Amino acid sequence: MPNIQSSINFGLVNIPVRVNPIIRNNDTSFNQLHDKCFSRINYIKFCPKCNTKIKETEIIKGYQYEKDDYIVFEKEELNKLKPENEKEIDIISFVSLDEIDPIYFEKSYDIDVEGKGKAYYLFCEALKKTKLVALAKTVIGSKFYYVILRFSNQNIIMTTLYFEEEVNIRKDEVNHNINDKELELAMKLITSLKGKFEPDKYKDEYQNNIKKAIEDKVNGKKVKGVKKKSKKQISDLMEALEKSLKK
């Protein structure tokens, strides 16, 4: 969904913007083929009751409230339920980014400036100086979201948030009787592995292997598997920590 026209409502200030997805799928795309003739498989929408193929224009949305009982919604009815100002990004409040658990982060978008953009750059500078992020609400496609707007590298990044009911976190309150020596060794191991977050160095090894295998197959070569190292499992926690530190 490139170049979605929108605007940020910041008090009485309205900032026209374009919303662009940042993330692109890195997965290698495979087609499903018939193993006998290598023809691509087609997916046909079919009604088993009428025993007939269905056109896209014949499909409506229904909600199953009891087994095999549906209530039907027309497109116009669903449109009536959308929030007001659905094409805008309405700021609700400003919060510290540290208050938001990253588990709530879903998808990020680049918020590009529309027109001259003085209000946009003023908003950027205000976020930068206050070190706060804007909590807002908007609609993307047909889905309602709460989002955060944060300053990053001279522009604004918008990240959609999962709702509380979408996040399933298991709460573990069991006392595992961790002793001081185990904790000390675990902390030493963490410190020894401390580094910097360098995303340009993190490569998708599996996708790279698939692309190499595709190239080999096209050139008539045999696909070579990845050599997997066997790891010895150590059941004793103290022994595992001590050997990890030595390694």
Side-chain angles (χ1 to χ4, degrees):
M1 296 186 297
N3 293 323
I4 301 170
Q5 302 296 320
S6 185
S7 62
I8 299 172
N9 287 336
F10 174 36
L12 296 177
V13 178
N14 183 273
I15 310 171
V17 294
R18 288 187 298 265
V19 180
N20 296 295
I22 294 176
I23 305 302
R24 62 183 180 189
N25 194 321
N26 187 41
D27 292 347
T28 302
S29 179
F30 287 96
N31 294 313
Q32 292 189 323
L33 310 176
H34 185 196
D35 64 354
K36 292 183 179 179
C37 65
F38 286 8
S39 295
R40 287 184 64 171
I41 303 301
N42 293 325
Y43 291 92
I44 301 170
K45 293 183 179 180
F46 182 82
C47 176
K49 184 176 181 179
C50 299
N51 193 30
T52 185
K53 298 177 184 177
I54 302 298
K55 298 177 182 177
E56 195 69 34
T57 55
E58 298 176 289
I59 298 175
I60 57 176
K61 290 189 175 182
Y63 177 81
Q64 183 175 250
Y65 62 96
E66 290 183 6
K67 184 173 174 56
D68 297 328
D69 285 328
Y70 294 86
I71 51 172
V72 173
F73 280 89
E74 300 291 339
K75 186 177 180 180
E76 293 74 18
E77 291 178 305
L78 292 173
N79 285 337
K80 290 178 182 178
L81 303 177
K82 290 183 178 180
E84 61 176 345
N85 302 328
E86 60 169 300
K87 300 297 183 183
E88 298 178 348
I89 303 165
D90 286 321
I91 294 175
I92 301 166
S93 65
F94 292 86
V95 300
S96 171
L97 185 59
D98 295 339
E99 294 179 20
I100 307 173
D101 191 320
I103 200 169
Y104 288 98
F105 297 165
E106 188 196 21
K107 187 176 181 180
S108 292
Y109 298 81
D110 175 46
I111 304 298
D112 191 14
V113 65
E114 181 82 10
K116 293 183 179 179
K118 181 177 180 181
Y120 175 91
Y121 292 112
L122 175 64
F123 184 54
C124 284
E125 194 64 19
L127 288 178
K128 180 181 177 182
K129 294 292 184 182
T130 59
K131 297 182 179 180
L132 295 175
V133 298
L135 178 65
K137 57 183 180 180
T138 191
V139 174
I140 301 175
S142 60
K143 194 172 187 314
F144 174 81
Y145 288 99
Y146 277 88
V147 300
I148 59 167
L149 305 172
R150 61 185 177 87
F151 174 78
S152 175
N153 296 323
Q154 305 304 316
N155 64 336
I156 295 172
I157 302 299
M158 181 178 80
T159 302
T160 56
L161 302 175
Y162 289 112
F163 290 99
E164 180 71 24
E165 60 264 30
E166 293 180 293
V167 179
N168 183 23
I169 305 176
R170 181 177 61 88
K171 295 181 179 179
D172 190 354
E173 298 179 357
V174 179
N175 185 358
H176 294 286
N177 298 317
I178 298 170
N179 63 52
D180 292 342
K181 183 62 176 176
E182 291 170 337
L183 181 58
E184 181 186 353
L185 288 175
M187 290 173 67
K188 282 184 178 179
L189 181 56
I190 289 172
T191 303
S192 70
L193 295 171
K194 186 178 179 181
K196 292 184 177 181
F197 181 66
E198 300 173 291
D200 59 311
K201 293 185 178 180
Y202 311 139
K203 306 302 178 184
D204 191 332
E205 297 176 18
Y206 178 56
Q207 289 301 318
N208 287 343
N209 291 340
I210 288 178
K211 289 169 185 174
K212 178 65 170 62
I214 290 172
E215 184 181 340
D216 288 343
K217 272 186 168 286
V218 169
N219 293 322
K221 298 179 182 178
K222 187 177 179 180
V223 174
K224 296 179 180 179
V226 178
K227 293 182 180 180
K228 298 181 180 179
K229 299 178 182 178
S230 58
K231 291 185 178 181
K232 183 180 178 182
Q233 297 296 321
I234 303 174
S235 57
D236 184 83
L237 182 57
M238 282 294 292
E239 183 185 355
L241 287 167
E242 288 169 346
K243 287 189 174 182
S244 297
L245 275 170
K246 289 179 181 178
K247 185 178 179 180

PDB file of all heavy atoms in Angstrom, residues 38-63:
ATOM      1  N   PHE A  38       3.732 -30.382 -13.662  1.00  0.00           N
ATOM      2  CA  PHE A  38       4.360 -29.114 -13.286  1.00  0.00           C
ATOM      3  C   PHE A  38       3.504 -27.895 -13.647  1.00  0.00           C
ATOM      4  O   PHE A  38       4.014 -26.790 -13.790  1.00  0.00           O
ATOM      5  CB  PHE A  38       5.746 -28.956 -13.918  1.00  0.00           C
ATOM      6  CG  PHE A  38       6.800 -29.814 -13.274  1.00  0.00           C
ATOM      7  CD1 PHE A  38       6.465 -30.774 -12.330  1.00  0.00           C
ATOM      8  CD2 PHE A  38       8.132 -29.671 -13.615  1.00  0.00           C
ATOM      9  CE1 PHE A  38       7.437 -31.572 -11.735  1.00  0.00           C
ATOM     10  CE2 PHE A  38       9.119 -30.457 -13.032  1.00  0.00           C
ATOM     11  CZ  PHE A  38       8.761 -31.413 -12.089  1.00  0.00           C
ATOM     12  N   SER A  39       2.202 -28.062 -13.811  1.00  0.00           N
ATOM     13  CA  SER A  39       1.315 -26.929 -14.054  1.00  0.00           C
ATOM     14  C   SER A  39       0.941 -26.278 -12.723  1.00  0.00           C
ATOM     15  O   SER A  39       0.817 -26.958 -11.701  1.00  0.00           O
ATOM     16  CB  SER A  39       0.037 -27.390 -14.768  1.00  0.00           C
ATOM     17  OG  SER A  39       0.344 -27.873 -16.050  1.00  0.00           O
ATOM     18  N   ARG A  40       0.733 -24.954 -12.765  1.00  0.00           N
ATOM     19  CA  ARG A  40       0.377 -24.238 -11.537  1.00  0.00           C
ATOM     20  C   ARG A  40      -1.035 -24.597 -11.099  1.00  0.00           C
ATOM     21  O   ARG A  40      -1.945 -24.769 -11.911  1.00  0.00           O
ATOM     22  CB  ARG A  40       0.495 -22.727 -11.748  1.00  0.00           C
ATOM     23  CG  ARG A  40       1.929 -22.234 -11.810  1.00  0.00           C
ATOM     24  CD  ARG A  40       2.009 -20.729 -11.923  1.00  0.00           C
ATOM     25  NE  ARG A  40       1.468 -20.068 -10.747  1.00  0.00           N
ATOM     26  CZ  ARG A  40       1.583 -18.758 -10.521  1.00  0.00           C
ATOM     27  NH1 ARG A  40       2.213 -17.988 -11.395  1.00  0.00           N
ATOM     28  NH2 ARG A  40       1.070 -18.226  -9.443  1.00  0.00           N
ATOM     29  N   ILE A  41      -1.209 -24.692  -9.778  1.00  0.00           N
ATOM     30  CA  ILE A  41      -2.502 -25.029  -9.201  1.00  0.00           C
ATOM     31  C   ILE A  41      -3.366 -23.774  -9.127  1.00  0.00           C
ATOM     32  O   ILE A  41      -2.912 -22.722  -8.670  1.00  0.00           O
ATOM     33  CB  ILE A  41      -2.333 -25.636  -7.796  1.00  0.00           C
ATOM     34  CG1 ILE A  41      -1.438 -26.875  -7.854  1.00  0.00           C
ATOM     35  CG2 ILE A  41      -3.688 -25.974  -7.182  1.00  0.00           C
ATOM     36  CD1 ILE A  41      -1.950 -27.978  -8.746  1.00  0.00           C
ATOM     37  N   ASN A  42      -4.618 -23.877  -9.569  1.00  0.00           N
ATOM     38  CA  ASN A  42      -5.567 -22.772  -9.476  1.00  0.00           C
ATOM     39  C   ASN A  42      -6.471 -22.960  -8.264  1.00  0.00           C
ATOM     40  O   ASN A  42      -6.822 -24.084  -7.902  1.00  0.00           O
ATOM     41  CB  ASN A  42      -6.445 -22.701 -10.739  1.00  0.00           C
ATOM     42  CG  ASN A  42      -5.636 -22.314 -11.961  1.00  0.00           C
ATOM     43  OD1 ASN A  42      -4.709 -21.519 -11.859  1.00  0.00           O
ATOM     44  ND2 ASN A  42      -5.983 -22.867 -13.114  1.00  0.00           N
ATOM     45  N   TYR A  43      -6.842 -21.841  -7.642  1.00  0.00           N
ATOM     46  CA  TYR A  43      -7.758 -21.888  -6.513  1.00  0.00           C
ATOM     47  C   TYR A  43      -9.102 -21.340  -6.963  1.00  0.00           C
ATOM     48  O   TYR A  43      -9.215 -20.175  -7.363  1.00  0.00           O
ATOM     49  CB  TYR A  43      -7.198 -21.098  -5.336  1.00  0.00           C
ATOM     50  CG  TYR A  43      -5.986 -21.767  -4.730  1.00  0.00           C
ATOM     51  CD1 TYR A  43      -4.705 -21.445  -5.174  1.00  0.00           C
ATOM     52  CD2 TYR A  43      -6.127 -22.745  -3.758  1.00  0.00           C
ATOM     53  CE1 TYR A  43      -3.592 -22.075  -4.648  1.00  0.00           C
ATOM     54  CE2 TYR A  43      -5.016 -23.394  -3.229  1.00  0.00           C
ATOM     55  CZ  TYR A  43      -3.760 -23.051  -3.675  1.00  0.00           C
ATOM     56  OH  TYR A  43      -2.664 -23.688  -3.157  1.00  0.00           O
ATOM     57  N   ILE A  44     -10.113 -22.192  -6.919  1.00  0.00           N
ATOM     58  CA  ILE A  44     -11.440 -21.833  -7.406  1.00  0.00           C
ATOM     59  C   ILE A  44     -12.378 -21.653  -6.214  1.00  0.00           C
ATOM     60  O   ILE A  44     -12.450 -22.513  -5.324  1.00  0.00           O
ATOM     61  CB  ILE A  44     -11.986 -22.926  -8.345  1.00  0.00           C
ATOM     62  CG1 ILE A  44     -11.044 -23.112  -9.539  1.00  0.00           C
ATOM     63  CG2 ILE A  44     -13.398 -22.597  -8.814  1.00  0.00           C
ATOM     64  CD1 ILE A  44     -11.356 -24.320 -10.399  1.00  0.00           C
ATOM     65  N   LYS A  45     -13.096 -20.533  -6.174  1.00  0.00           N
ATOM     66  CA  LYS A  45     -14.097 -20.300  -5.142  1.00  0.00           C
ATOM     67  C   LYS A  45     -15.370 -21.046  -5.539  1.00  0.00           C
ATOM     68  O   LYS A  45     -15.919 -20.815  -6.619  1.00  0.00           O
ATOM     69  CB  LYS A  45     -14.339 -18.804  -4.973  1.00  0.00           C
ATOM     70  CG  LYS A  45     -13.103 -18.099  -4.411  1.00  0.00           C
ATOM     71  CD  LYS A  45     -13.309 -16.630  -4.168  1.00  0.00           C
ATOM     72  CE  LYS A  45     -12.034 -16.018  -3.575  1.00  0.00           C
ATOM     73  NZ  LYS A  45     -12.165 -14.575  -3.322  1.00  0.00           N
ATOM     74  N   PHE A  46     -15.787 -21.929  -4.645  1.00  0.00           N
ATOM     75  CA  PHE A  46     -16.824 -22.896  -5.006  1.00  0.00           C
ATOM     76  C   PHE A  46     -17.855 -23.004  -3.885  1.00  0.00           C
ATOM     77  O   PHE A  46     -17.513 -23.017  -2.700  1.00  0.00           O
ATOM     78  CB  PHE A  46     -16.152 -24.261  -5.235  1.00  0.00           C
ATOM     79  CG  PHE A  46     -17.089 -25.354  -5.658  1.00  0.00           C
ATOM     80  CD1 PHE A  46     -17.470 -25.476  -6.981  1.00  0.00           C
ATOM     81  CD2 PHE A  46     -17.581 -26.262  -4.731  1.00  0.00           C
ATOM     82  CE1 PHE A  46     -18.332 -26.488  -7.376  1.00  0.00           C
ATOM     83  CE2 PHE A  46     -18.441 -27.273  -5.117  1.00  0.00           C
ATOM     84  CZ  PHE A  46     -18.815 -27.386  -6.447  1.00  0.00           C
ATOM     85  N   CYS A  47     -19.133 -23.031  -4.255  1.00  0.00           N
ATOM     86  CA  CYS A  47     -20.218 -23.224  -3.293  1.00  0.00           C
ATOM     87  C   CYS A  47     -20.651 -24.682  -3.336  1.00  0.00           C
ATOM     88  O   CYS A  47     -21.218 -25.136  -4.352  1.00  0.00           O
ATOM     89  CB  CYS A  47     -21.396 -22.312  -3.616  1.00  0.00           C
ATOM     90  SG  CYS A  47     -22.823 -22.597  -2.529  1.00  0.00           S
ATOM     91  N   PRO A  48     -20.406 -25.445  -2.255  1.00  0.00           N
ATOM     92  CA  PRO A  48     -20.759 -26.875  -2.269  1.00  0.00           C
ATOM     93  C   PRO A  48     -22.268 -27.118  -2.296  1.00  0.00           C
ATOM     94  O   PRO A  48     -22.724 -28.127  -2.837  1.00  0.00           O
ATOM     95  CB  PRO A  48     -20.129 -27.403  -0.976  1.00  0.00           C
ATOM     96  CG  PRO A  48     -20.003 -26.212  -0.090  1.00  0.00           C
ATOM     97  CD  PRO A  48     -19.762 -25.053  -0.997  1.00  0.00           C
ATOM     98  N   LYS A  49     -23.043 -26.183  -1.724  1.00  0.00           N
ATOM     99  CA  LYS A  49     -24.503 -26.365  -1.699  1.00  0.00           C
ATOM    100  C   LYS A  49     -25.097 -26.198  -3.091  1.00  0.00           C
ATOM    101  O   LYS A  49     -25.957 -26.987  -3.523  1.00  0.00           O
ATOM    102  CB  LYS A  49     -25.135 -25.365  -0.733  1.00  0.00           C
ATOM    103  CG  LYS A  49     -26.639 -25.556  -0.565  1.00  0.00           C
ATOM    104  CD  LYS A  49     -27.214 -24.613   0.486  1.00  0.00           C
ATOM    105  CE  LYS A  49     -28.712 -24.846   0.646  1.00  0.00           C
ATOM    106  NZ  LYS A  49     -29.301 -23.955   1.688  1.00  0.00           N
ATOM    107  N   CYS A  50     -24.656 -25.163  -3.826  1.00  0.00           N
ATOM    108  CA  CYS A  50     -25.163 -24.914  -5.182  1.00  0.00           C
ATOM    109  C   CYS A  50     -24.389 -25.687  -6.248  1.00  0.00           C
ATOM    110  O   CYS A  50     -24.776 -25.686  -7.423  1.00  0.00           O
ATOM    111  CB  CYS A  50     -25.108 -23.421  -5.498  1.00  0.00           C
ATOM    112  SG  CYS A  50     -26.111 -22.406  -4.395  1.00  0.00           S
ATOM    113  N   ASN A  51     -23.277 -26.291  -5.815  1.00  0.00           N
ATOM    114  CA  ASN A  51     -22.432 -27.062  -6.723  1.00  0.00           C
ATOM    115  C   ASN A  51     -22.013 -26.228  -7.939  1.00  0.00           C
ATOM    116  O   ASN A  51     -22.154 -26.648  -9.082  1.00  0.00           O
ATOM    117  CB  ASN A  51     -23.146 -28.339  -7.173  1.00  0.00           C
ATOM    118  CG  ASN A  51     -22.192 -29.314  -7.850  1.00  0.00           C
ATOM    119  OD1 ASN A  51     -21.003 -29.354  -7.539  1.00  0.00           O
ATOM    120  ND2 ASN A  51     -22.708 -30.093  -8.794  1.00  0.00           N
ATOM    121  N   THR A  52     -21.492 -25.029  -7.645  1.00  0.00           N
ATOM    122  CA  THR A  52     -21.110 -24.131  -8.738  1.00  0.00           C
ATOM    123  C   THR A  52     -19.951 -23.220  -8.334  1.00  0.00           C
ATOM    124  O   THR A  52     -19.729 -22.971  -7.150  1.00  0.00           O
ATOM    125  CB  THR A  52     -22.318 -23.270  -9.169  1.00  0.00           C
ATOM    126  OG1 THR A  52     -21.950 -22.495 -10.305  1.00  0.00           O
ATOM    127  CG2 THR A  52     -22.742 -22.332  -8.053  1.00  0.00           C
ATOM    128  N   LYS A  53     -19.209 -22.746  -9.334  1.00  0.00           N
ATOM    129  CA  LYS A  53     -18.157 -21.774  -9.094  1.00  0.00           C
ATOM    130  C   LYS A  53     -18.785 -20.417  -8.780  1.00  0.00           C
ATOM    131  O   LYS A  53     -19.841 -20.079  -9.308  1.00  0.00           O
ATOM    132  CB  LYS A  53     -17.245 -21.641 -10.319  1.00  0.00           C
ATOM    133  CG  LYS A  53     -16.510 -22.916 -10.693  1.00  0.00           C
ATOM    134  CD  LYS A  53     -15.687 -22.702 -11.959  1.00  0.00           C
ATOM    135  CE  LYS A  53     -15.032 -23.998 -12.407  1.00  0.00           C
ATOM    136  NZ  LYS A  53     -14.279 -23.815 -13.687  1.00  0.00           N
ATOM    137  N   ILE A  54     -18.095 -19.643  -7.929  1.00  0.00           N
ATOM    138  CA  ILE A  54     -18.629 -18.364  -7.473  1.00  0.00           C
ATOM    139  C   ILE A  54     -17.754 -17.222  -7.970  1.00  0.00           C
ATOM    140  O   ILE A  54     -16.528 -17.267  -7.860  1.00  0.00           O
ATOM    141  CB  ILE A  54     -18.714 -18.323  -5.929  1.00  0.00           C
ATOM    142  CG1 ILE A  54     -19.590 -19.471  -5.414  1.00  0.00           C
ATOM    143  CG2 ILE A  54     -19.249 -16.985  -5.449  1.00  0.00           C
ATOM    144  CD1 ILE A  54     -21.020 -19.409  -5.885  1.00  0.00           C
ATOM    145  N   LYS A  55     -18.404 -16.177  -8.501  1.00  0.00           N
ATOM    146  CA  LYS A  55     -17.681 -14.973  -8.893  1.00  0.00           C
ATOM    147  C   LYS A  55     -17.440 -14.087  -7.674  1.00  0.00           C
ATOM    148  O   LYS A  55     -18.165 -14.172  -6.685  1.00  0.00           O
ATOM    149  CB  LYS A  55     -18.488 -14.189  -9.943  1.00  0.00           C
ATOM    150  CG  LYS A  55     -18.731 -14.937 -11.235  1.00  0.00           C
ATOM    151  CD  LYS A  55     -19.600 -14.110 -12.168  1.00  0.00           C
ATOM    152  CE  LYS A  55     -19.900 -14.859 -13.456  1.00  0.00           C
ATOM    153  NZ  LYS A  55     -20.800 -14.083 -14.334  1.00  0.00           N
ATOM    154  N   GLU A  56     -16.435 -13.223  -7.789  1.00  0.00           N
ATOM    155  CA  GLU A  56     -16.108 -12.309  -6.681  1.00  0.00           C
ATOM    156  C   GLU A  56     -17.293 -11.423  -6.335  1.00  0.00           C
ATOM    157  O   GLU A  56     -17.536 -11.110  -5.162  1.00  0.00           O
ATOM    158  CB  GLU A  56     -14.904 -11.445  -7.070  1.00  0.00           C
ATOM    159  CG  GLU A  56     -14.250 -10.717  -5.903  1.00  0.00           C
ATOM    160  CD  GLU A  56     -13.537 -11.655  -4.942  1.00  0.00           C
ATOM    161  OE1 GLU A  56     -12.974 -12.673  -5.391  1.00  0.00           O
ATOM    162  OE2 GLU A  56     -13.564 -11.349  -3.728  1.00  0.00           O
ATOM    163  N   THR A  57     -18.076 -11.031  -7.336  1.00  0.00           N
ATOM    164  CA  THR A  57     -19.224 -10.139  -7.107  1.00  0.00           C
ATOM    165  C   THR A  57     -20.376 -10.832  -6.381  1.00  0.00           C
ATOM    166  O   THR A  57     -21.295 -10.175  -5.899  1.00  0.00           O
ATOM    167  CB  THR A  57     -19.735  -9.595  -8.456  1.00  0.00           C
ATOM    168  OG1 THR A  57     -20.024 -10.701  -9.328  1.00  0.00           O
ATOM    169  CG2 THR A  57     -18.708  -8.684  -9.101  1.00  0.00           C
ATOM    170  N   GLU A  58     -20.330 -12.150  -6.297  1.00  0.00           N
ATOM    171  CA  GLU A  58     -21.397 -12.910  -5.640  1.00  0.00           C
ATOM    172  C   GLU A  58     -21.083 -13.201  -4.175  1.00  0.00           C
ATOM    173  O   GLU A  58     -21.878 -13.839  -3.486  1.00  0.00           O
ATOM    174  CB  GLU A  58     -21.634 -14.235  -6.377  1.00  0.00           C
ATOM    175  CG  GLU A  58     -22.086 -14.077  -7.811  1.00  0.00           C
ATOM    176  CD  GLU A  58     -22.215 -15.415  -8.524  1.00  0.00           C
ATOM    177  OE1 GLU A  58     -21.170 -16.033  -8.806  1.00  0.00           O
ATOM    178  OE2 GLU A  58     -23.353 -15.830  -8.778  1.00  0.00           O
ATOM    179  N   ILE A  59     -19.938 -12.743  -3.697  1.00  0.00           N
ATOM    180  CA  ILE A  59     -19.504 -13.058  -2.334  1.00  0.00           C
ATOM    181  C   ILE A  59     -19.843 -11.911  -1.397  1.00  0.00           C
ATOM    182  O   ILE A  59     -19.567 -10.745  -1.692  1.00  0.00           O
ATOM    183  CB  ILE A  59     -17.986 -13.346  -2.295  1.00  0.00           C
ATOM    184  CG1 ILE A  59     -17.672 -14.576  -3.165  1.00  0.00           C
ATOM    185  CG2 ILE A  59     -17.516 -13.573  -0.860  1.00  0.00           C
ATOM    186  CD1 ILE A  59     -16.197 -14.867  -3.295  1.00  0.00           C
ATOM    187  N   ILE A  60     -20.474 -12.238  -0.267  1.00  0.00           N
ATOM    188  CA  ILE A  60     -20.815 -11.253   0.755  1.00  0.00           C
ATOM    189  C   ILE A  60     -20.200 -11.690   2.080  1.00  0.00           C
ATOM    190  O   ILE A  60     -19.737 -12.826   2.217  1.00  0.00           O
ATOM    191  CB  ILE A  60     -22.350 -11.094   0.901  1.00  0.00           C
ATOM    192  CG1 ILE A  60     -22.976 -12.456   1.219  1.00  0.00           C
ATOM    193  CG2 ILE A  60     -22.949 -10.496  -0.363  1.00  0.00           C
ATOM    194  CD1 ILE A  60     -24.465 -12.387   1.480  1.00  0.00           C
ATOM    195  N   LYS A  61     -20.197 -10.785   3.067  1.00  0.00           N
ATOM    196  CA  LYS A  61     -19.608 -11.082   4.372  1.00  0.00           C
ATOM    197  C   LYS A  61     -20.691 -11.488   5.366  1.00  0.00           C
ATOM    198  O   LYS A  61     -21.711 -10.807   5.490  1.00  0.00           O
ATOM    199  CB  LYS A  61     -18.840  -9.868   4.906  1.00  0.00           C
ATOM    200  CG  LYS A  61     -17.569  -9.577   4.126  1.00  0.00           C
ATOM    201  CD  LYS A  61     -16.726  -8.515   4.803  1.00  0.00           C
ATOM    202  CE  LYS A  61     -15.407  -8.325   4.076  1.00  0.00           C
ATOM    203  NZ  LYS A  61     -14.545  -7.323   4.741  1.00  0.00           N
ATOM    204  N   GLY A  62     -20.440 -12.605   6.058  1.00  0.00           N
ATOM    205  CA  GLY A  62     -21.378 -13.076   7.064  1.00  0.00           C
ATOM    206  C   GLY A  62     -20.665 -13.464   8.340  1.00  0.00           C
ATOM    207  O   GLY A  62     -19.527 -13.950   8.304  1.00  0.00           O
ATOM    208  N   TYR A  63     -21.326 -13.242   9.477  1.00  0.00           N
ATOM    209  CA  TYR A  63     -20.760 -13.602  10.784  1.00  0.00           C
ATOM    210  C   TYR A  63     -21.566 -14.773  11.357  1.00  0.00           C
ATOM    211  O   TYR A  63     -22.790 -14.703  11.474  1.00  0.00           O
ATOM    212  CB  TYR A  63     -20.811 -12.409  11.740  1.00  0.00           C
ATOM    213  CG  TYR A  63     -20.313 -12.742  13.130  1.00  0.00           C
ATOM    214  CD1 TYR A  63     -18.955 -12.777  13.411  1.00  0.00           C
ATOM    215  CD2 TYR A  63     -21.209 -13.053  14.159  1.00  0.00           C
ATOM    216  CE1 TYR A  63     -18.496 -13.099  14.681  1.00  0.00           C
ATOM    217  CE2 TYR A  63     -20.757 -13.374  15.428  1.00  0.00           C
ATOM    218  CZ  TYR A  63     -19.404 -13.399  15.688  1.00  0.00           C
ATOM    219  OH  TYR A  63     -18.958 -13.733  16.938  1.00  0.00           O
TER     220      TYR A  63
END
